[in-house]
């Protein structure tokens, strides 16, 4: 007996071109898929099953004629058990007295009921294929990415971030897991949307918020744009956050707090702009490392907690470093990428150190 190759089956169902063609919306693609089948003869059974699934899951309103009612009724009778057919014969004999005009309605209802059972079986079969399957997306250093989740929620991922989510959201549950920075625009749904990260678990139903949760940083922030979210830490303590508020989680102390702030500085990165307000030098340098794909060494760690105000918007790294050292007691050395013996390039390096000839007054 032929068996479905789950990888091929899932790839086809995830292919918008295939789904559009199989659902009858783009018949001109027929030759393309014919050629695909000829090139992949061993995938014929999987292709047929994927096509059958798309056709079964295609819902559209349709006016049924009397001839279609008769034809579908005959088809349904052939697929129903003999006992069911006998029971239905007695049922129709009895109700014939009530008027033959009811017959089409009853037939259509029974036909829909039978096909709903078939559809339910198909959903169960698909559930078996996808059970436990997940998608993991990683954004390289220096990049950004936008993607749609199975429930149509949108996610913007910043440099060096990673998200993991199921191929489809199981009944009653929408859950994703991230590290790094992500902006969520969650589709409203009666299923709770849960975001797991190195800090507190985020619970929402439909809202927009930003999560900054890099494992190598002390502070995790969640900035709420609209809607309402609930945060739950490892001790099951809950914190409700309202629009315009920013929740902070200290990964070392395990302390969760919130405050009202201008959240634009937390979400402007989607537009290529980084706004720092009373930000530590450590945070700024880590952001520069991810944005410019460079390794930065600060020879004087005691300067990490110095506070700065800055806005970076598309400037090259050397210009950013010049501005940074101009406004602080720092000097820097830049070492560009080097070609290695294996043909690859090393990461560019920046070294910073304290300039004792400069005076610097930190922010209050």
């Amino acid at each position: 007996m032929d068996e479905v190759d789950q990888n091929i089956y899932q790839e086809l169902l995830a292919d918008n071109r295939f789904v559009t063609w199989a659902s009858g919306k783009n018949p001109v693609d027929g030759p393309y898929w014919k050629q695909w089948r000829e090139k992949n003869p061993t995938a014929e059974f999987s292709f047929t099953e994927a096509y059958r699934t798309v056709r079964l899951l295609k819902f559209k309103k349709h006016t049924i004629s009397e001839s279609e009612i008769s034809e579908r009724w005959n088809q349904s009778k052939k697929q129903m058990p003999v006992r069911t057919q006998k029971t239905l014969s007695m049922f129709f004999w009895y109700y014939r007295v009530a008027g033959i005009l009811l017959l089409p309605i009853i037939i259509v209802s029974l036909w829909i009921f039978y096909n709903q059972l078939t559809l339910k079986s198909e959903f169960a079969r698909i559930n078996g294929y996808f059970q436990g399957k997940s998608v993991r997306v990683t954004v390289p250093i220096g990049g950004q990415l936008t993607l749609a989740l199975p429930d149509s929620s949108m996610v913007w991922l910043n440099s060096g971030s990673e998200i993991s989510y199921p191929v489809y959201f199981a009944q009653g549950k929408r859950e994703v897991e991230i590290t790094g920075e992500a902006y969520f625009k969650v589709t409203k749904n009666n299923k709770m949307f849960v975001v797991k990260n190195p800090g507190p678990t985020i619970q929402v139903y439909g809202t927009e918020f930003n999560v900054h949760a890099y494992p190598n940083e002390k502070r995790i922030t969640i900035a709420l744009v609209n809607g309402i979210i609930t945060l739950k830490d490892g001790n099951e303590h809950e914190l409700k956050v309202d629009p315009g508020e920013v929740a902070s989680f200290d990964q070392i102390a395990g302390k969760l707090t919130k405050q009202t702030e201008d959240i634009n500085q937390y979400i402007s990165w989607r537009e290529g702009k980084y706004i720092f307000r009373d930000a530590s030098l450590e945070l700024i340098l880590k952001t520069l490392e991810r944005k410019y794909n460079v390794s930065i060494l600060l020879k004087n760690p005691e300067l990490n907690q110095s506070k700065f105000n800055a806005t970076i918007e598309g400037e090259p790294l050397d210009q950013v470093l010049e501005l940074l050292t101009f406004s602080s007691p720092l000097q820097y050395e830049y070492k560009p990428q080097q070609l290695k013996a294996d043909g690859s390039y090393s990461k560019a390096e920046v070294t910073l150190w304290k300039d004792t000839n400069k005076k610097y007054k930190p922010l209050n």
Side-chain angles (χ1 to χ4, degrees), residues 61-109:
K61 294 183 179 180
H62 181 64
T63 303
I64 303 177
S65 64
E66 291 187 8
S67 61
E68 287 179 301
I69 291 173
S70 177
E71 180 182 354
R72 290 174 178 177
W73 170 242
N74 290 330
Q75 291 176 354
S76 298
K77 286 200 301 182
K78 292 178 182 179
Q79 299 179 59
M80 292 181 181
V82 175
R83 182 177 299 175
T84 303
Q85 294 182 30
K86 290 181 179 180
T87 303
L88 289 174
S89 296
M90 295 178 63
F91 174 81
F92 284 114
W93 176 86
Y94 177 83
Y95 275 95
R96 193 176 300 158
V97 180
I100 197 64
L101 291 178
L102 292 175
L103 183 59
I105 298 175
I106 297 172
I107 293 176
V108 170
S109 298

